[in-house]
């Protein structure tokens, strides 16, 4: 593919043309169930939310003030499928995070005041009280649990992707990255994992890997295409989708699984209601329909939890 077309195509990974990601375990090279739509590059349009009915038991768990107002402020990080992205009109939001938040709101009888915010800004803003809840594929980690409460709704995690000309076959230990340049998103668990372990290369007398972070997901992929990064570390779901859309890319493997949840300020009274709403969506089948729509059925959790321990 010519460089100009290839660069533009990589940019589309995180803008209007994005549609669907698949995720799973097992053979990392195998396309998981539900990935067919991703290959076709079409945005799923199935309405899986409007039929959701209010659950009185879950709604009663809301603080009285919230039930009286009937609204919550939600900060959404918009990046790549299947989480949240803009459709081709550049204004309409779509993705699993959008569907899950809307479905939970309907279960609780609430209206969401949604505001788009950068990934790295949402968690601090929750602590300051600017927003009631945030979404953005926020993985549950021990560090984050110190200041943030989570209500889990899917299981995703960390993975790697490279160009086809890379010698990397599978990354099971971060010392395999010594001497390479790793591209990833700013303020993410990927950046934290890479920074925490970078010393291990020097400990073994080897050249440390370099970490390049980008606030914009399109820039992460362009860095790989242009050779400024040798390997990318990102969400399992996002990587699996991206490699179906671009020539010359390989998904290497899953590296670590993490529970993903709605994020709240520490000590929020909203968590029990959100947990009940997610479990009510599982009970009525909406939960599975959302995952199927976005090709991520293997990211299902058995039950929603409030701030569970980080998966080790």
């Amino acid at each position: 593919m010519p460089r100009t077309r290839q660069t533009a195509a990589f940019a589309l990974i995180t803008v209007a043309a994005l549609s669907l990601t698949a995720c799973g375990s097992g053979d990392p090279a195998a396309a998981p169930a539900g990935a067919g739509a991703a290959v076709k590059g079409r945005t799923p349009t199935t309405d899986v939310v409007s039929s959701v009915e209010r659950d009185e038991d879950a709604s009663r768990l809301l603080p009285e003030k919230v039930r009286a107002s009937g609204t919550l402020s939600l900060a959404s990080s918009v990046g790549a499928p299947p989480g949240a992205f803009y459709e081709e009109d550049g204004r309409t939001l779509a993705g699993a995070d959008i569907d899950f938040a809307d479905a939970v709101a309907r279960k609780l009888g609430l209206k969401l005041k949604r505001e788009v915010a950068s990934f790295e800004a949402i968690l601090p803003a929750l602590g300051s009280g600017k927003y009631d809840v945030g979404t953005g594929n926020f993985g549950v980690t021990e560090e984050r649990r110190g200041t943030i409460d989570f209500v889990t709704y899917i299981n995703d995690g960390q993975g790697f992707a490279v160009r086809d000309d890379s010698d990397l076959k599978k990354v099971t230990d971060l010392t395999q990255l010594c001497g390479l340049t790793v591209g990833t998103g700013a303020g993410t668990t990927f950046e934290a994992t890479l920074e925490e372990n970078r010393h291990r290369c020097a400990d073994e007398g080897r050249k440390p890997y370099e970490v390049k972070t980008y606030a914009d997901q399109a820039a992460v992929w362009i860095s790989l295409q242009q050779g400024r990064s040798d390997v990318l570390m990102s969400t399992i779901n996002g990587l699996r989708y991206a490699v179906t859309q671009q020539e010359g890319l390989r998904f290497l493997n899953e590296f670590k699984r993490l529970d993903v949840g709605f994020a709240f300020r520490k000590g929020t009274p909203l968590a029990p209601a959100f947990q009940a709403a997610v479990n009510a969506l599982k009970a009525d089948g909406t939960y599975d329909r959302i995952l199927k729509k976005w090709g991520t059925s293997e990211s299902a959790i058995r039950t929603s939890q409030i701030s569970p321990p980080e998966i080790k």
Side-chain angles (χ1 to χ4, degrees):
M1 183 183 294
R3 179 172 294 273
T4 54
R5 287 177 57 200
Q6 200 171 33
T7 300
F10 270 81
L12 287 175
I13 287 291
T14 54
V15 198
L18 293 180
S19 59
L20 166 68
T21 304
C23 165
S25 56
D27 180 4
V39 175
K40 296 177 183 178
R42 297 185 180 183
T43 303
T45 57
T46 306
D47 179 3
V48 292
V49 174
S50 64
S51 63
V52 174
E53 298 181 350
R54 179 172 177 164
D55 184 285
E56 293 299 332
D57 290 337
S59 179
R60 277 194 291 270
L61 296 174
L62 289 168
E64 178 59 37
K65 183 178 179 180
V66 174
R67 277 190 287 142
S69 69
T71 62
L72 281 180
S73 60
L74 168 71
S76 292
S77 172
V78 177
F85 62 99
Y86 286 109
E87 292 186 352
E88 292 185 10
D89 61 10
R91 298 184 301 274
T92 304
L93 288 173
D97 280 353
I98 305 303
D99 284 344
F100 273 120
D102 288 347
V104 164
R106 292 182 71 91
K107 276 294 180 191
L108 296 176
L110 299 175
K111 290 186 178 180
L112 297 176
K113 296 180 179 178
R114 181 180 276 112
E115 181 178 321
V116 173
S118 65
F119 178 91
E120 63 272 23
I122 292 178
L123 298 186
L126 292 171
S128 70
K130 183 176 181 179
Y131 306 111
D132 296 312
V133 57
T135 58
N137 204 277
F138 290 113
V140 180
T141 66
E142 292 306 316
E143 181 179 2
R144 286 175 174 170
R145 289 202 316 150
T147 57
I148 296 293
D149 280 343
F150 294 92
V151 173
T152 61
Y153 60 96
I154 62 168
N155 177 272
D156 194 352
Q158 303 173 342
F160 293 95
V162 294
R163 296 184 303 273
D164 275 344
D165 60 5
S166 173
D167 292 332
L168 283 174
K169 303 300 181 185
K170 189 174 184 179
V171 177
T172 57
D173 190 289
L174 294 180
T175 57
Q176 293 171 262
L177 303 175
C178 295
L180 301 179
T181 299
V182 188
T184 195
T188 61
T189 60
F190 319 115
E191 179 184 9
T193 297
L194 290 166
E195 292 293 352
E196 289 169 5
N197 289 274
R198 184 157 53 174
H199 69 90
R200 295 175 56 202
C201 294
D203 292 347
E204 295 184 6
R206 303 168 64 187
K207 181 180 178 181
Y209 52 75
E210 180 182 1
V211 181
K212 286 192 174 181
T213 61
Y214 302 87
D216 176 43
Q217 284 296 311
V220 180
W221 285 101
I222 293 172
S223 76
L224 182 65
Q225 181 266 329
Q226 294 181 341
R228 289 181 282 111
S229 295
D230 300 304
V231 56
L232 299 188
M233 189 177 189
S234 190
T235 64
I236 296 167
N237 288 356
L239 293 174
R240 283 194 182 278
Y241 171 77
V243 300
T244 68
Q245 299 299 297
Q246 305 304 314
E247 296 176 5
L249 293 183
R250 283 189 287 119
F251 175 73
L252 289 184
N253 60 285
E254 297 181 8
F255 183 71
K256 179 181 180 180
R257 281 276 175 174
L258 285 173
D259 287 320
V260 172
F262 293 102
F264 307 84
R265 67 175 175 82
K266 193 69 176 176
T268 179
L270 296 171
F274 268 69
Q275 179 190 33
V278 173
N279 286 329
L281 292 173
K282 288 185 68 67
D284 72 12
T286 302
Y287 182 89
D288 288 337
R289 286 191 288 272
I290 292 174
L291 291 182
K292 182 178 180 180
K293 172 182 177 179
W294 296 104
T296 56
S297 294
E298 293 183 54
S299 281
I301 57 175
R302 287 192 296 177
T303 186
S304 178
Q305 301 181 74
I306 298 175
S307 299
E310 178 180 349
I311 297 174
K312 299 297 185 180

